[in-house]
Amino acid sequence: MKQIQLLMEQAENGDFTISGSYNSKDEIGQLVRSFNNMIQGLKGIIKTVSETSELVAASSEELSASAEQNSRASEHISSTIQELAEGSDHQVRSVK
């Protein structure tokens, strides 16, 4: 019981490299196995969250770059429309 209490304290402090070593078929052994399974599950969750965070960060960078390209394209289109408007005004004046 003392060993599992110490393991739980270590896990509480963020150490997920631990595992219990009490091998028995009694209730304490079942508790240690369940604890070890819980730690493995937490490690898996943390790994998945970390990988997902990296994917989100990469996607965010791609979206930011895409937004910047769209902004530049919009500015170019706006400039072209303004040039066309000025050309049209010039043609109207020429026709008059």
Side-chain angles (χ1 to χ4, degrees):
M1 286 299 287
K2 189 70 175 166
Q3 179 194 21
I4 195 72
Q5 180 186 3
L6 291 172
L7 291 172
M8 286 184 183
E9 287 175 4
Q10 288 175 300
E12 179 182 13
N13 292 324
D15 183 0
F16 298 113
T17 62
I18 55 165
S19 72
S21 60
Y22 182 79
N23 294 320
S24 180
K25 294 184 179 185
D26 62 10
E27 292 85 3
I28 304 294
Q30 290 174 350
L31 180 63
V32 170
R33 278 190 297 284
S34 292
F35 176 82
N36 289 342
N37 291 338
M38 179 190 69
I39 292 295
Q40 289 303 315
L42 288 172
K43 283 183 191 179
I45 290 170
I46 290 169
K47 181 179 178 187
T48 300
V49 168
S50 176
E51 291 169 351
T52 302
S53 296
E54 289 175 12
L55 289 174
V56 168
S59 295
S60 176
E61 287 179 20
E62 289 176 15
L63 286 172
S64 178
S66 178
E68 189 174 325
Q69 287 177 341
N70 286 339
S71 177
R72 283 196 302 264
S74 294
E75 288 174 7
H76 180 68
I77 290 169
S78 176
S79 174
T80 301
I81 289 172
Q82 188 170 352
E83 288 174 13
L84 288 172
E86 290 172 1
S88 294
D89 284 345
H90 179 69
Q91 285 180 348
V92 167
R93 282 190 303 258
S94 292
V95 168
K96 286 183 180 179

